[in-house]
Amino acid sequence: MNYRFSSRMRRVPESFLKELFRVSAVPGVISFAGGLPGSAYIDVTGIQEAAREVFAEEGQTALQYTTTDGYLPLREFIADRYRRRLGLPATPEEIQIVNGSQQCLDLVAKIFLDPGDAVGMERPGYLGAIEAFSLYEPDFYSVPLEEDGPELAVFATLVRDHDLKFFYGIPNSQNPSGRTYSQEKRRAVAEILEGTDTVFYEDDAFGELFFDGKSRLPVKRYLPDQTVMSGSFSKIVAPGMRIGWIYAPAPVLREFNVAKQAADLHSNFLCQVILHRYLSTHDLDAHVARVSAIYGRHCRLICDLLDDLMPPGTTHTSPEGGMFMTAALPDGVSSMEVFCEGVKEGVAVLPGVPFYVGGGGEDTIRLNFSAAGEEEIAEGMHRLARVVRRLA
């Protein structure tokens, strides 16, 4: 049988995640490579109680089909949280529920991109976005990411010289770098885009996880009609529920709704109702504050161990929040070699290569600090340091 797959499948970069999941599942391997929130901090008991109440009181309704845009009380909760936390004038009508914010990547690309269209991204950029967008055959243009956000001169030139359909960015605790845009950079990005036909796609998966507990104003605050914003409960409640959302202007949502209806009719309604019941009966702010404080301790521990254990020439980012950071390796040390040798040593990291469109990342690794406990982090970093010192 000759399976005649579409040409677009040849445009998608081969995912490193399959190999990553394989080695991370090996017994005894301490993994800094995945993107998991800490399992120990998922409120299993609270979610179980919410599920029990839903089945007892509204089980038949929750197990039925629903509308494509999602459970209205949950959308009202999200809109209210935007108004309260960020001062955004969000309404439930501007929000649609999706299967994790990853589905937003696919559907936004589907409604905006034709083959050969231009898409802008940060460099390095989120590998899940690179893979999702690649299916729609765009041309990628990247902007170097500095400590406080995109390099503005390059960003302005890119917007001026290329007819970008959208620019995809993660202003808060970026994946993979952990960097956060300064407020000045957020305003500047909005000013550069204002008056153009380029949409800013603001992925805010980590916006609640700042270690200091303080919210940062989004780009959407300065560019409301040109910004599509996505969020997720995966990082702050439970990823297995697969509940995220898009917050966007009405013309975008009309097209988005059509695409989502064709894709899956609607997101898991049962999980939406259970999640809303949980959010209505538990203090999400207190939960997020606790988890963020723990992640902050983990992040500082990894930073200290990188400084203390690694050979000269090793540098790293210093995140203000989120779940990830990157480290640059000493000259001549390959991130792929570190990955391969690290598995033999019992530690897994993610090489930087998949985060760079058009090549790059051979000398960087991404480290996750949310999934492992402090004892595992200490042991894993000693294993990693042995590998890097051996290769340096």
Side-chain angles (χ1 to χ4, degrees):
M1 174 67 193
N2 179 30
Y3 294 101
R4 293 174 289 177
F5 298 113
S6 69
S7 61
R8 75 172 63 90
M9 295 306 298
R10 293 192 290 273
R11 291 287 301 268
V12 182
E14 185 175 351
S15 178
F16 194 81
L17 296 179
K18 181 179 179 181
E19 176 67 9
L20 175 63
F21 291 141
R22 184 188 69 79
V23 301
S24 296
V26 175
V29 171
I30 296 173
S31 179
F32 301 121
L36 279 64
S39 296
Y41 318 120
I42 297 174
D43 185 4
V44 175
T45 300
I47 296 171
Q48 184 180 43
E49 292 171 354
R52 187 181 299 114
E53 292 174 4
V54 166
F55 278 112
E57 299 173 19
E58 48 186 325
Q60 288 185 325
T61 300
L63 289 167
Q64 187 53 272
Y65 284 116
T66 190
T67 58
T68 301
D69 49 4
Y71 188 42
L72 178 58
L74 182 58
R75 291 188 287 124
E76 289 173 335
F77 178 92
I78 295 166
D80 177 72
R81 197 164 178 82
Y82 272 133
R83 293 193 297 270
R84 180 165 54 84
R85 289 183 57 246
L86 302 175
L88 295 171
T91 66
E93 292 72 30
E94 296 173 291
I95 291 165
Q96 292 190 8
I97 304 300
V98 294
N99 293 313
S101 57
Q102 183 70 21
Q103 188 181 42
C104 281
L105 298 171
D106 175 63
L107 295 182
V108 168
K110 182 177 287 186
I111 66 174
F112 276 106
L113 296 180
D114 291 313
D117 281 344
V119 169
M121 293 187 68
E122 300 152 342
R123 181 178 177 84
Y126 173 46
L127 67 88
I130 294 170
E131 292 175 356
F133 300 159
S134 293
L135 277 168
Y136 301 95
E137 306 177 72
D139 293 331
F140 287 103
Y141 297 89
S142 57
V143 176
L145 193 62
E146 301 176 317
E147 288 297 329
D148 64 343
E151 187 176 329
L152 290 179
V154 177
F155 181 76
T157 299
L158 189 153
V159 172
R160 184 186 66 239
D161 294 349
H162 302 279
D163 186 20
L164 300 182
K165 284 291 188 72
F166 59 82
F167 183 91
Y168 171 81
I170 309 175
N172 294 325
S173 308
Q174 195 251 10
N175 183 0
S177 70
R179 290 173 172 147
T180 291
Y181 291 21
S182 67
Q183 217 59 54
E184 292 74 21
K185 283 280 179 83
R186 295 168 196 245
R187 289 193 194 94
V189 164
E191 289 170 0
I192 291 167
L193 289 174
E194 190 171 12
T196 72
D197 289 329
T198 297
V199 168
F200 187 77
Y201 184 164
E202 186 166 14
D203 187 338
D204 194 32
F206 309 103
E208 299 228 26
L209 294 177
F210 280 108
F211 306 148
D212 62 8
K214 298 177 182 178
S215 300
R216 275 61 166 176
L217 294 180
V219 173
K220 189 170 179 64
R221 180 75 173 266
Y222 308 110
L223 197 70
D225 295 332
Q226 280 177 245
T227 302
V228 168
M229 200 168 179
S230 64
S232 175
F233 289 105
S234 293
K235 310 302 186 293
I236 58 175
V237 179
M241 300 185 89
R242 306 310 302 132
I243 302 296
W245 67 88
I246 183 173
Y247 169 29
V252 175
L253 285 184
R254 282 195 294 271
E255 300 299 315
F256 190 91
N257 191 275
V258 171
K260 180 166 173 58
Q261 190 172 57
D264 63 6
L265 296 182
H266 62 77
S267 298
N268 186 313
F269 188 44
L270 175 62
C271 279
Q272 292 181 58
V273 179
I274 292 172
L275 176 61
H276 179 260
R277 178 64 65 102
Y278 173 78
L279 295 170
S280 300
T281 54
H282 292 76
D283 189 342
L284 181 60
D285 289 331
H287 175 72
V288 168
R290 173 175 171 264
V291 171
S292 298
I294 293 169
Y295 289 175
R297 291 200 300 272
H298 291 183
C299 179
R300 287 188 291 273
L301 178 59
I302 287 186
C303 288
D304 290 344
L305 290 169
L306 284 169
D307 293 338
D308 293 343
L309 301 176
M310 291 294 175
T314 306
T315 61
H316 60 83
T317 56
S318 298
E320 300 173 27
M323 294 166 40
F324 304 104
M325 62 187 302
T326 55
L329 302 168
D331 288 345
V333 178
S334 159
S335 60
M336 288 302 300
E337 283 188 285
V338 170
F339 170 75
C340 295
E341 293 301 310
V343 173
K344 297 176 186 176
E345 192 73 35
V347 61
V349 297
L350 186 54
V353 175
F355 298 99
Y356 288 78
V357 293
E362 293 86 356
D363 60 348
T364 65
I365 56 175
R366 189 191 75 173
L367 299 167
N368 167 268
F369 49 78
S370 59
E374 292 185 17
E375 290 185 5
E376 277 189 305
I377 288 173
E379 174 60 28
M381 291 305 294
H382 277 83
R383 295 178 186 180
L384 180 62
R386 288 195 294 269
V387 171
V388 177
R389 287 199 301 267
R390 195 160 62 235
L391 294 173

